[in-house]
């Protein structure tokens, strides 16, 4: 289920950045790929993911990226399944709700660094809940209470890896804070004695401080502290990028997420025991985040699914049933082996199918022929490329060409994204945008408003056109910007 084609719009500039890091030996701190932000500071917060992706592409092509991303994502769901078991759910119910959680979060999957955040957040929650298993109410006497807190020592190195893979590390800090706040609320409500909660709260507080102290160890240094807040405050990014939109429940793509919400409300209403504060506070935080932006749905799934699993019925007659069927255990290993082999075959077939159709999917989503034309015949360097194609142009055309904008919305800022939208949609002042930035070539879909206007403009001419894209070149140089004359006072 987690396998996806390697066609995410941001994948391409990730690959080019990974190649740039491997070849130069250092992480870029300014933009080398565009002409609008050339030399401007750039926080390359995903540098380690980009190096990993580039090395996979270099040695195993698209197949390596597809298989690797599927395994990383599946590992996150495996940890989610184990957390459902920690909460006391039956194995079959835990498996069922985990698979449903995978379906609900499917719109966010892909070959992208964000998958690292999903799996590392899942691992963080598993470490927290496993370390505090006995204190959270699980009375299994077979566990060694002294050994469990030692799992928390894995969180700082996990966090150090995380902050070099993706800026979603901020979610890890938020989860730690919400977990600790929930514990304090438990004691305030009288659900957990302070003597029992105090050591856990102190551990979580120390972990939070340790993780905050690790942030400057990334190549971006202390700039990474403010990066998540800048991203959340960006109105241009939140109005321009689809994954920052709220989920549209009119689309079938998000109906499983809607059903997940209904199941969660039912579970909270009918649960045998009320969820504790350490569960409720992260759940409320991520509920708001998931309803605010599609990209947060997978993290919401990580906290919602265990709550649903804990509310499901627990089998009580399993021992008696096993005594009535003594011969069933003989066939169980054979059945399990057959199931694993069958699922492995399905996964392999899916991977092979996606790899075989990679080129066709790429041609369907990106202007392959137009890019090949630009590669074969040198054109002006400053090229205005459709937003979703910007990363693809960086991967295929750099260093001969520089783009106007691409998927790095955090680099370009709200003002430049609005200028791009102004030109693309022929809003007031669209010609001024092209003239101000001295745009020499345009690569956009032929149906967009800008293409239709420039096809009728004598100052522009088409050098390539097909059903997917059109390339337009400026016939005459862009007019030179002139300074406004000084005001003159007329008297008499």
């Amino acid at each position: 289920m987690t396998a996806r084609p390697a066609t995410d719009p941001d994948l391409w500039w990730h690959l080019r950045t990974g190649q740039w890091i491997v070849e130069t030996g250092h992480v870029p701190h300014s933009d080398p790929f565009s002409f609008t932000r050339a030399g401007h500071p750039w926080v390359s917060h995903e540098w380690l993911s980009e190096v990993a992706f580039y090395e996979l592409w270099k040695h195993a092509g698209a197949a390596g990226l597809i298989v690797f991303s599927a395994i990383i994502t599946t590992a996150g769901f495996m940890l989610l399944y184990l957390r459902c078991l920690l909460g006391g759910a039956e194995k079959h119910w835990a498996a069922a709700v985990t698979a449903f959680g995978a379906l609900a979060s499917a719109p966010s999957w892909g070959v992208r660094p964000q998958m690292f955040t999903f799996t590392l957040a899942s691992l963080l929650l598993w470490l927290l809940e496993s370390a505090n298993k006995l204190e959270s109410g699980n009375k299994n006497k077979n566990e060694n209470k002294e050994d469990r807190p030692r799992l928390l020592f894995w969180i700082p190195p996990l966090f150090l890896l995380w902050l070099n893979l993706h800026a979603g590390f901020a979610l890890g800090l938020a989860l730690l804070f919400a977990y600790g706040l929930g514990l304090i609320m438990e004691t305030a409500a009288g659900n957990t004695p302070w003597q029992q909660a105090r050591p856990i709260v102190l551990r979580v507080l120390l972990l939070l401080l340790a993780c905050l102290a690790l942030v400057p160890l990334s190549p971006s240094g202390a700039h990474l502290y403010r990066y998540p807040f800048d991203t959340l405050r960006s109105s241009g990014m939140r109005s321009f990028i689809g994954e920052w939109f709220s989920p549209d429940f009119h689309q079938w793509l998000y109906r499983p997420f809607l059903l997940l919400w209904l199941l969660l409300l039912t579970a909270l209403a009918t649960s045998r025991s009320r969820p504790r504060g350490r569960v409720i506070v992260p759940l409320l935080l991520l509920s708001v985040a998931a309803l605010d932006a599609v990209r947060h749905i997978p993290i919401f799934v990580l906290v919602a699914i265990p709550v649903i699993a804990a509310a499901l019925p627990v089998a009580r007659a399993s021992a008696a049933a096993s005594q009535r069927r003594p011969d069933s255990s003989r066939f169980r290993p054979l059945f399990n082996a057959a199931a694993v082999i069958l699922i492995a075959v399905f996964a392999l077939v899916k991977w092979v199918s996606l790899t075989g159709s990679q080129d066709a999917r790429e041609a369907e989503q990106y202007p392959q022929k137009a890019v090949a034309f630009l590669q074969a015949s040198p054109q002006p360097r400053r090229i205005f490329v459709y937003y979703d194609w910007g990363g693809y142009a960086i991967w295929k055309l750099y260093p001969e060409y520089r783009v106007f904008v691409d998927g790095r919305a955090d680099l370009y800022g709200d003002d430049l994204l609005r200028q791009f939208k102004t030109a693309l949609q022929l809003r007031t002042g669209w010609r001024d945008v092209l003239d101000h930035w001295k745009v020499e070539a345009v690569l956009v879909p032929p149906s967009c408003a800008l293409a239709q206007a420039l096809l009728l403009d004598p100052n522009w001419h088409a050098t390539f056109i097909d059903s997917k894209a059109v390339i337009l070149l400026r016939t005459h140089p862009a007019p030179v910007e002139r300074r406004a004359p000084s005001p003159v006072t007329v008297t008499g």
Side-chain angles (χ1 to χ4, degrees):
M1 292 175 65
T2 56
R4 289 291 185 273
T7 55
D8 187 86
D10 290 339
L11 170 65
W12 313 106
W13 65 262
H14 286 312
L15 290 173
R16 177 59 75 184
T17 306
Q19 181 185 24
W20 197 93
I21 294 171
V22 170
E23 292 179 353
T24 62
H26 63 272
V27 177
H29 296 291
S30 60
D31 174 42
F33 302 132
S34 75
F35 65 87
T36 52
R37 287 293 182 262
H40 281 236
W42 173 34
V43 178
S44 184
H45 60 90
E46 299 160 316
W47 72 273
L48 191 55
S49 299
E50 291 158 348
V51 170
F53 279 10
Y54 174 68
E55 291 294 342
L56 281 167
W57 180 280
K58 180 179 177 181
H59 298 289
L65 289 174
I66 291 169
V67 174
F68 177 75
S69 297
I71 290 173
I72 290 294
T73 310
T74 304
F77 284 109
M78 184 64 187
L79 290 164
L80 174 59
Y81 167 76
L82 295 176
R83 287 175 51 230
C84 291
L85 296 183
L86 281 176
E90 293 289 326
K91 290 183 179 180
H92 55 279
W93 284 121
V97 295
T98 299
F100 183 74
L103 182 63
S105 60
S108 298
W109 296 346
V111 182
R112 51 193 311 198
Q114 191 177 338
M115 294 300 96
F116 287 113
T117 282
F118 170 76
T119 298
L120 293 175
S122 187
L123 179 56
L124 174 67
L125 290 170
W126 180 82
L127 289 170
L128 276 175
E129 294 176 8
S130 297
N132 302 317
K133 183 178 177 183
L134 292 177
E135 291 90 333
S136 63
N138 190 317
K139 302 302 181 182
N140 184 358
K141 301 300 182 181
N142 295 326
E143 299 287 347
N144 186 348
K145 184 174 179 178
E146 296 301 323
D147 291 338
R148 305 309 292 177
R150 296 180 183 177
L151 290 173
L152 297 177
F153 287 111
W154 288 99
I155 291 181
L158 161 71
F159 189 79
L160 183 60
L161 175 66
W162 193 348
L163 65 88
N164 286 287
L165 287 169
H166 190 250
F169 72 89
L171 280 169
L173 296 172
L175 287 172
L176 286 172
F177 176 77
Y179 191 86
L181 181 61
L183 281 167
I184 295 174
M185 290 179 59
E186 285 182 25
T187 60
N191 296 327
T192 302
W194 174 244
Q195 292 79 6
Q196 184 180 357
R198 182 177 58 186
I200 311 176
V201 172
L202 290 176
R203 291 176 205 147
V204 173
L205 177 60
L206 290 174
L207 283 172
L208 186 59
L209 294 175
C211 291
L212 281 170
L214 290 174
V215 172
L217 296 183
S218 72
S220 299
H223 294 289
L224 214 53
Y225 280 123
R226 55 177 288 183
Y227 179 83
F229 298 101
D230 292 341
T231 300
L232 292 174
R233 288 199 305 264
S234 173
S235 60
M237 181 181 297
R238 297 178 68 83
S239 63
F240 203 80
I241 302 175
E243 67 177 13
W244 283 102
F245 296 168
S246 296
D248 182 0
F249 294 124
H250 293 284
Q251 299 183 25
W252 282 102
L253 195 63
Y254 300 110
R255 294 292 174 84
F257 175 53
L258 175 60
L259 183 55
L260 177 66
W261 255 106
L262 297 177
L263 288 175
L264 176 63
L265 294 176
T266 303
L268 291 173
T270 61
S271 177
R272 297 181 300 273
S273 59
R274 182 183 303 174
R276 299 199 174 202
R278 72 191 79 177
V279 175
I280 290 296
V281 174
L283 188 62
L284 289 174
L285 173 69
L286 291 171
S287 296
V288 174
L291 292 174
D292 179 65
V294 169
R295 64 180 288 128
H296 296 138
I297 291 177
I299 312 300
F300 169 75
V301 165
L302 292 178
V303 296
I305 289 298
V307 175
I308 296 173
L312 294 173
V314 178
R316 301 185 183 280
S318 57
S322 62
Q323 290 176 1
R324 289 194 299 267
R325 295 192 302 270
D327 294 336
S328 63
S329 60
R330 299 179 184 176
F331 300 100
R332 185 172 298 276
L334 181 62
F335 174 80
N336 290 343
V340 169
I341 292 172
L342 188 61
I343 293 173
V345 170
F346 285 158
L348 185 61
V349 169
K350 180 72 177 292
W351 291 343
V352 171
S353 173
L354 288 176
T355 302
S357 62
Q358 170 69 20
D359 190 65
R361 290 174 179 267
E362 186 178 322
E364 179 183 348
Q365 195 168 339
Y366 300 100
Q368 272 190 344
K369 293 181 181 179
V371 167
F373 175 83
L374 290 172
Q375 289 172 329
S377 56
Q379 303 293 342
R381 294 168 59 89
R382 291 171 170 248
I383 184 167
F384 183 100
V385 184
Y386 184 61
Y387 185 84
D388 286 346
W389 298 347
Y392 188 74
I394 289 175
W395 174 239
K396 295 290 186 178
L397 301 176
Y398 179 83
E400 286 76 18
Y401 298 90
R402 301 292 195 279
V403 298
F404 187 90
V405 295
D406 57 86
R408 299 170 297 161
D410 55 309
L411 166 68
Y412 296 105
D414 295 349
D415 181 61
L416 193 58
L417 290 177
R418 279 192 288 267
Q419 291 184 49
F420 174 83
K421 188 180 290 188
T422 295
L424 191 70
Q425 299 177 355
L426 297 188
R427 297 180 179 180
T428 303
W430 67 273
R431 288 184 186 276
D432 297 334
V433 173
L434 300 181
D435 294 342
H436 171 75
W437 292 105
K438 296 181 174 57
V439 173
E440 301 167 311
V442 171
L443 172 60
V444 292
S447 59
C448 80
L450 178 61
Q452 295 299 311
L454 295 184
L455 284 170
L456 300 175
D457 192 327
N459 293 321
W460 293 80
H461 69 282
T463 59
F464 175 91
I465 187 168
D466 65 4
S467 60
K468 191 68 182 177
V470 58
I471 300 174
L472 296 126
L473 300 183
R474 192 187 288 270
T475 304
H476 304 292
V480 178
E481 291 187 83
R482 291 178 296 178
R483 301 179 65 179
S486 301
V488 177
T489 302
V490 179
T491 61

